[in-house]
């Protein structure tokens, strides 16, 4: 049975704060771009906001229960959230819907880059110290690494072009109007969400480690 040591609880707190903020930014980005494109469905639900409460109210299991349980069981954090949109708006403006879908991963990659900047500047300025007694990294260093790792994972995973992930709608920006309508007939007319998620998880488990190693070597070489 896992011991609930102070370190375990502290790291869990850091992971949950990072998860909550990153997921909120992801969904708020969807809602903001949708509103700019003419769909105020998510905006009317209060989701054009960095306040996590509207997002938690919409997905309490995915935003609170499952992430915390997954951490206490496996010391990893998984979960989900969602932002509503108007299907008729998507039909009228498929490219706007595509940009709305891509806004979520873009928010995650932005947070990842900010974490990289924080790590590089913090290391250069000597702000990210290590505990001389335990040899462990300081809280700031751990928090930035968590933000980097989590947002790289969220952004990459959601870009996979399979339903229900953002990439399956994001590819609309590359389609003509007629092709987009035929694609939406297929995408929204079938219940492929569970199958798509299974395929995405299987594929992602095989390739993500290479993405993570590549991104870490390029962006954080000499800082880990």
């Amino acid at each position: 049975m896992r011991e609930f040591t102070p370190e375990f609880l502290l790291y869990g707190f850091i992971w949950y704060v990072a998860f909550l903020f990153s997921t909120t930014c992801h969904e708020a980005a969807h809602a903001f771009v949708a509103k700019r494109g003419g769909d105020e469905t998510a905006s009317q639900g209060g989701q054009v906001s960095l306040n996590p409460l509207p997002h938690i109210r919409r997905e309490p299991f995915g935003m609170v229960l499952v992430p915390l349980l997954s951490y206490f069981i496996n010391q990893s954090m998984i979960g989900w959230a969602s932002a509503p949109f108007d299907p008729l708006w998507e039909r009228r403006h498929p490219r706007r819907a595509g940009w709305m879908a891509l806004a979520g991963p873009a928010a995650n990659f932005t947070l990842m880059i900010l974490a990289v900047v924080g790590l590089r500047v913090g290391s250069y300025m000597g702000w990210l110290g290590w505990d001389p007694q335990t040899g462990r990294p300081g809280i700031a260093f751990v928090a930035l690494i968590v933000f980097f790792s989590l947002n790289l994972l969220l952004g990459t995973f959601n870009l996979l072009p399979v339903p229900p992930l953002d990439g399956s709608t994001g590819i609309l920006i590359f389609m003509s109007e007629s092709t987009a309508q035929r694609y939406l007939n297929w995408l929204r007319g079938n219940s492929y969400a569970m199958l798509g998620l299974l395929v995405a998880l299987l594929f992602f488990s095989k390739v993500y480690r290479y993405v993570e190693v590549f991104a870490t070597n390029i962006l954080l070489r000499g800082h880990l």
Side-chain angles (χ1 to χ4, degrees):
M1 188 173 183
R2 189 177 299 279
E3 294 185 28
F4 293 165
T5 63
E7 182 181 70
F8 175 82
L9 295 174
L10 175 61
Y11 283 6
F13 176 76
I14 293 171
W15 268 100
Y16 184 65
V17 169
F19 170 83
L20 194 64
F21 184 71
S22 301
T23 307
T24 296
C25 288
H26 181 107
E27 299 305 330
H30 283 319
F32 175 76
V33 173
K35 182 179 180 180
R36 296 281 294 181
D39 178 13
E40 298 200 6
T41 306
S43 174
Q44 290 170 356
Q47 291 187 286
V48 184
S49 171
L50 295 183
N51 179 355
L53 292 180
H55 307 278
I56 291 174
R57 281 196 295 268
R58 180 170 171 81
E59 296 284 2
F61 285 95
M63 290 284 283
V64 181
L65 183 61
V66 172
L68 294 178
L69 281 177
S70 66
Y71 181 77
F72 282 108
I73 293 171
N74 294 321
Q75 206 168 352
S76 62
M77 196 159 286
I78 59 173
W80 65 87
S82 64
F85 67 94
D86 181 358
L88 295 178
W89 171 80
E90 180 184 55
R91 285 286 185 173
R92 290 193 301 268
H93 307 289
R95 287 191 176 177
R96 295 183 193 179
W99 287 115
M100 177 269 290
L102 294 178
N108 292 128
F109 289 129
T110 299
L111 290 175
M112 180 196 74
I113 294 300
L114 290 175
V116 170
V117 172
L119 284 163
R120 288 184 171 275
V121 173
S123 296
Y124 179 78
M125 299 297 292
W127 296 336
L128 304 177
W130 293 65
D131 190 319
Q133 296 182 339
T134 64
R136 296 181 182 277
I139 298 300
F141 182 86
V142 172
L144 289 169
I145 288 295
V146 168
F147 267 93
F148 170 81
S149 302
L150 180 61
N151 282 285
L152 174 63
L153 186 147
L154 288 174
T156 305
F157 182 67
N158 277 286
L159 279 182
L160 294 178
V162 294
L165 302 180
D166 296 328
S168 67
T169 303
I171 59 177
L172 287 169
I173 67 173
F174 301 110
M175 298 181 184
S176 66
E177 180 68 25
S178 59
T179 301
Q181 295 301 327
R182 290 196 300 271
Y183 174 73
L184 285 172
N185 288 338
W186 171 81
L187 184 66
R188 305 306 181 204
N190 297 280
S191 300
Y192 289 138
M194 291 304 296
L195 177 61
L197 193 57
L198 177 61
V199 170
L201 288 170
L202 290 174
F203 175 77
F204 199 68
S205 66
K206 301 295 185 183
V207 304
Y208 179 67
R209 62 180 177 271
Y210 302 109
V211 174
E212 186 176 34
V213 168
F214 177 78
T216 301
N217 286 339
I218 294 296
L219 298 172
L220 294 178
R221 183 176 297 166
H223 295 272
L224 293 177

